[in-house]
């Protein structure tokens, strides 16, 4: 029997009661108050004197400034240190836009009335994240923590039918001293895009339906769903409500299977580290090049016009992105690495070659929403994930060709050496 560890869990409804413009699809520009399923913020607090706190939000993406604001308030009110807080988002494309997240998504200026609603909701969600985190911290009770690894199969590579995807589904289970499930935290690497641009309503998509089904299957337990390296993976089949529920049901079914199998106890001291990698951009366009592009219609022309306006206002074009990479390790039993933004599956495959895959959890869509993080392979191939999507995120250019090496180097700084595989397995 594993030792007891203080664990707290909480959730709060963050569904707005007023119309809002949704994020995720640039062609969808009308506000909506329609709701297919509620949206939640959830929190899991683990540990006694120096706990860790995982926040999970049903949203397309959060900015690092929002994450920093939440962390500062939790530090002020609960003494939490930044590296012990992670903010994950489910990347559902059917949640309200947040201020500053994918700021050029719509390739046109957002009406002032819409922006006021976006700013209002962003402030409310920031407060709710602090609230749900404090509740989880105050709710900590003796619990048993264990780890299982399962699989799901509805993610498909959206660039090439036989391209790489990550079907691993890691799960942390929290039980009360009597062995009843108190919470499960599960992750799967698939876009929350079962719905399309025409579906202008709020919904947690498959991640939200998975959490709901798990909760109904295990009354009293809270389900937290996060996303792995899913930048080039879409759900299949899509689109539609029935498929979204079906995919959520697949996750819940696998959770039920894993709950019937003894997990590996997690008892070790939790070590945390947060670093920022510098990701240089490829050669920046000259003002003359941007001026020429600004004559074009659509996303590229809008992107160029916005950057020219920024330069006219005295703003310096950045040469690199400060990219957060975070790691938690439970003794030598489990290491979790949190990567920001839309990370392609190649990173999960490479890190599992470098580290013991049975003790490694690879998460993405955390802490910031800077855009797509391509591997060197996808950088060479180009296309949407290779750099074309950056106009929607407001980045001045795609990243330089060494982006993968820089991200992996940062990951190595937050994953302890004790998880390393032998060098022969890295080839």
């Amino acid at each position: 029997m594993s030792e007891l560890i203080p664990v707290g869990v909480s959730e709060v409804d963050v569904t707005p009661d007023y119309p809002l413009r949704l994020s995720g699809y640039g062609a969808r520009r009308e506000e909506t108050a329609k709701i297919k399923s509620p949206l939640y913020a959830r929190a899991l607090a683990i540990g006694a004197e120096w706990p860790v706190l995982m926040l999970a939000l049903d949203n397309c993406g959060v900015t690092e400034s929002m994450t920093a604001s939440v962390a500062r308030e939790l530090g002020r009110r609960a003494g939490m240190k930044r590296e012990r807080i992670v903010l994950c988002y489910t990347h559902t494309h059917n949640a309200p836009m947040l201020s500053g997240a994918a700021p050029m998504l719509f390739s046109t200026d957002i009406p002032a009335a819409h922006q006021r609603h976006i700013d209002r909701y962003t402030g409310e969600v920031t407060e709710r994240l602090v609230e749900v985190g404090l509740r989880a911290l105050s709710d900590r009770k003796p619990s048993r923590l264990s780890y299982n690894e399962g699989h799901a199969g509805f993610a498909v590579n959206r660039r090439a039918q036989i391209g790489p995807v990550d079907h691993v589904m890691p799960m942390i289970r929290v039980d009360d001293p009597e062995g009843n499930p108190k919470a499960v935290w599960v992750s799967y690497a698939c876009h929350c895009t079962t719905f399309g641009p025409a579906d202008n309503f709020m919904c947690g998509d498959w991640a939200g339906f998975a959490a709901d089904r798990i909760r109904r299957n295990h009354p009293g337990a809270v389900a937290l769903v996060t996303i792995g390296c899913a930048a080039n993976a879409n759900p299949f089949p899509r689109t539609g409500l029935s498929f979204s529920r079906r995919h959520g049901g697949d996750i819940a079914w696998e959770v039920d299977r894993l709950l019937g199998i003894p997990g590996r106890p997690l008892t070790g001291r939790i070590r945390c580290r947060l670093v920022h990698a510098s990701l240089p951009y490829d050669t920046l366009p000259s003002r003359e090049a941007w001026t020429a592009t600004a004559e074009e219609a659509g996303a590229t022309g809008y992107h160029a016009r916005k950057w020219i306006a920024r330069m006219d206002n005295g703003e310096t074009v950045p040469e690199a992105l400060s990219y957060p990479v975070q790691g938690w390790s439970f003794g030598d039993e489990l290491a979790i690495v949190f990567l920001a933004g839309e990370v392609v599956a190649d990173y999960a495959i490479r890190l599992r070659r470098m580290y013991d895959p049975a003790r490694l959890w690879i998460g993405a869509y955390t802490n910031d929403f800077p855009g797509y993080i391509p591997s060197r392979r996808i950088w060479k191939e180009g296309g949407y994930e290779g750099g074309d999507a950056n106009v929607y995120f407001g980045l001045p250019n795609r990243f330089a060709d060494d982006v993968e090496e820089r991200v992996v180097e940062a990951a190595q700084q937050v994953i302890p050496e004790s998880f390393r595989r032998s060098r022969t397995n890295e080839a």
Side-chain angles (χ1 to χ4, degrees), residues 34-99:
K34 296 178 181 178
I35 300 167
K36 290 293 183 182
S37 72
L39 305 172
Y40 287 92
R42 298 180 171 96
L44 178 66
I46 304 171
E49 185 178 2
W50 299 106
V52 294
L53 180 66
M54 194 280 283
L55 301 167
L57 177 66
D58 288 337
N59 198 272
C60 192
V62 306
T63 62
E64 188 171 28
S65 62
M66 180 176 175
T67 301
S69 177
V70 171
R72 280 195 302 271
E73 190 64 13
L74 287 168
R76 185 181 72 83
R77 298 174 63 177
M80 292 291 296
K81 295 185 178 297
R82 172 63 189 90
E83 67 273 13
R84 306 189 80 82
I85 303 167
V86 65
L87 175 51
C88 306
Y89 48 94
T90 60
H91 199 50
T92 173
H93 283 42
N94 284 71
M97 187 176 187
L98 297 174
S99 302

Side-chain angles (χ1 to χ4, degrees), residues 128 208 334:
R128 292 290 183 87
L334 178 67

Side-chain angles (χ1 to χ4, degrees), residues 248-312:
D250 288 349
I251 297 293
W253 185 92
E254 182 69 347
V255 167
D256 283 347
R257 187 185 72 84
L258 294 177
L259 289 175
I261 302 171
R264 184 168 71 244
L266 299 179
T267 58
R269 180 175 66 89
I270 305 172
R271 293 170 289 179
C272 304
R273 191 165 186 200
L274 172 66
V275 301
H276 283 76
S278 178
L279 304 186
Y281 299 114
D282 208 351
T283 303
L284 294 175
S286 65
R287 186 184 178 92
E288 291 73 21
W290 259 328
T291 300
T293 303
E295 300 298 321
E296 300 178 7
T300 54
Y302 179 77
H303 175 265
R305 291 191 295 274
K306 296 303 285 187
W307 272 107
I308 291 171
R310 290 180 179 182
M311 288 188 289
D312 288 344

Side-chain angles (χ1 to χ4, degrees), residues 186-320:
V186 62
S187 177
Y188 185 56
C190 184
H191 255 79
C192 262
T193 50
T194 319
F195 300 110
D199 297 315
N200 197 24
F201 49 73
M202 299 179 207
C203 183
D205 208 315
W206 67 259
F209 286 121
D212 181 66
R213 180 70 67 85
I214 294 166
R215 178 172 48 191
R216 286 191 283 119
N217 289 351
H218 305 278
V222 173
L224 304 98
V225 181
T226 58
I227 312 297
C229 296
N232 51 340
N234 270 346
F236 181 82
R238 64 188 290 251
T239 60
L241 186 62
S242 62
F243 293 135
S244 185
R245 287 183 171 139
R246 172 173 147 187
H247 299 325
D250 288 349
I251 297 293
W253 185 92
E254 182 69 347
V255 167
D256 283 347
R257 187 185 72 84
L258 294 177
L259 289 175
I261 302 171
R264 184 168 71 244
L266 299 179
T267 58
R269 180 175 66 89
I270 305 172
R271 293 170 289 179
C272 304
R273 191 165 186 200
L274 172 66
V275 301
H276 283 76
S278 178
L279 304 186
Y281 299 114
D282 208 351
T283 303
L284 294 175
S286 65
R287 186 184 178 92
E288 291 73 21
W290 259 328
T291 300
T293 303
E295 300 298 321
E296 300 178 7
T300 54
Y302 179 77
H303 175 265
R305 291 191 295 274
K306 296 303 285 187
W307 272 107
I308 291 171
R310 290 180 179 182
M311 288 188 289
D312 288 344
N313 288 330
E315 185 173 333
T316 301
V317 181
E319 296 183 351

